[in-house]
Amino acid sequence: MHSSQRDFHRVVAIDGPAASGKSSVARALARRLGFVYVNSGAIYRAITWHLLKNGIHTEEIDRISEALESAAITSRIGDGESHIVIDYVDPADHLRDDRVNQSVAHVSRFPLVREIVAQKLHEHARSEDLVVEGRDIGSVVFPDTPYKFYVDASPEVRLQRRAAQGERDEIALRDHADFSRLVSPLVIAEDAHVIDTSHLTVEKVVHEILTRLQETGLRIQTI
Ligand code: CDP
């Protein structure tokens, strides 16, 4: 069934490539707005972790479908953020493991996986105002929301940011997989407002988004 934005509360979409600053911006923005923060990448990561933990290779689509059909994927809201729980386990501490970093872009290319994540996001938006970060939030998951942003940064800055977080993450490989996959590749939605964060602080980016949201007609009480 096709859902339209009328079925949903307000959704601010923040898309962009790895380490572009989406998470810090989206989390800070959600706090300012009093909206729930949802990191859609964390759902892809949780699914990837679950598959790896069960010894399922990320190429084995039949086993992936079976595993996901029988998995209980739920979420809870705590501290203004959505947390994914899979088979009653909260995988938060494992979402940025090296092996998850290496496999998540493979797992996220399967339409079945994308459908599960989109359904979760739609469920959330039926009951809460959201700031959702990801790759296809403005283009595919909530195409009718008027509040779309695409956050980018130069490849050098993105690499520095990941290194500063002490993570080993093959950003270039993940970018390639995300931009080139057949289903819901990373694109800039036509009506998205693009922000290059290479030389901006999180606070500056949040301010730019809030200003734009007001111009677009979102009534903001917290600034
Ligand atoms: O934090 P970072 O931007 O590096 O990644 P993430 O948001 O945690 O997303 C991890 C991976 O999940 C991405 O590289 C994509 O392959 C996938 N993803 C996606 O396909 N669609 C989304 N809406 C969000 C994430």
Side-chain angles (χ1 to χ4, degrees):
M1 188 190 71
H2 176 74
S3 301
S4 87
Q5 192 58 39
R6 274 198 303 275
D7 303 320
F8 302 134
H9 284 238
R10 294 170 294 179
V11 174
V12 181
I14 312 277
D15 287 303
S20 54
K22 294 186 306 292
S23 300
S24 326
V25 164
R27 183 177 274 121
L29 179 69
R31 291 233 162 93
R32 294 285 290 272
L33 292 170
F35 287 16
V36 171
Y37 163 63
V38 187
N39 179 346
S40 64
I43 313 179
Y44 287 100
R45 288 175 178 276
I47 289 175
T48 303
W49 172 79
H50 177 77
L51 296 172
L52 294 171
K53 182 170 71 85
N54 287 293
I56 296 171
H57 196 269
T58 55
E59 304 294 329
E60 297 174 300
I61 185 59
D62 290 344
R63 287 191 68 204
I64 291 177
S65 334
E66 262 172 46
L68 294 181
E69 261 163 40
S70 59
I73 305 174
T74 55
S75 46
R76 64 173 180 86
I77 294 173
D79 262 350
E81 297 189 11
S82 165
H83 303 269
I84 192 83
V85 178
I86 190 156
D87 275 351
Y88 311 101
V89 181
D90 179 347
D93 292 344
H94 303 285
L95 297 185
R96 308 208 70 97
D97 287 357
D98 288 351
R99 61 185 196 146
V100 173
N101 279 344
Q102 280 156 18
S103 302
V104 62
H106 294 286
V107 172
S108 66
R109 76 186 195 277
F110 292 116
L112 165 78
V113 174
R114 304 205 71 81
E115 188 50 39
I116 291 173
V117 177
Q119 272 176 20
K120 287 277 142 216
L121 298 172
H122 287 171
E123 260 170 44
H124 262 314
R126 288 200 180 88
S127 51
E128 313 279 349
D129 288 325
L130 305 178
V131 174
V132 189
E133 69 155 294
R135 301 288 191 286
D136 61 342
I137 304 306
S139 56
V140 174
V141 183
F142 295 106
D144 301 330
T145 180
Y147 314 122
K148 297 183 190 177
F149 297 86
Y150 186 92
V151 171
D152 208 346
S154 69
E156 297 74 30
V157 168
R158 295 197 286 125
L159 271 175
Q160 280 165 13
R161 287 180 181 164
R162 250 320 104 89
Q165 289 170 321
E167 265 186 55
R168 256 200 316 167
D169 188 1
E170 300 280 352
I171 287 182
L173 288 180
R174 225 147 44 83
D175 275 354
H176 177 71
D178 289 342
F179 281 111
S180 64
R181 72 171 159 253
L182 294 177
V183 185
S184 312
L186 175 56
V187 290
I188 305 179
E190 240 175 54
D191 47 347
H193 179 74
V194 179
I195 304 175
D196 183 343
T197 71
S198 303
H199 305 291
L200 295 178
T201 60
V202 170
E203 199 40 50
K204 280 247 160 63
V205 180
V206 170
H207 186 264
E208 182 168 338
I209 294 178
L210 287 169
T211 306
R212 179 82 186 184
L213 286 173
Q214 269 181 320
E215 287 165 5
T216 319
L218 186 78
R219 269 193 287 154
I220 296 169
Q221 283 141 11
T222 50
I223 53 170

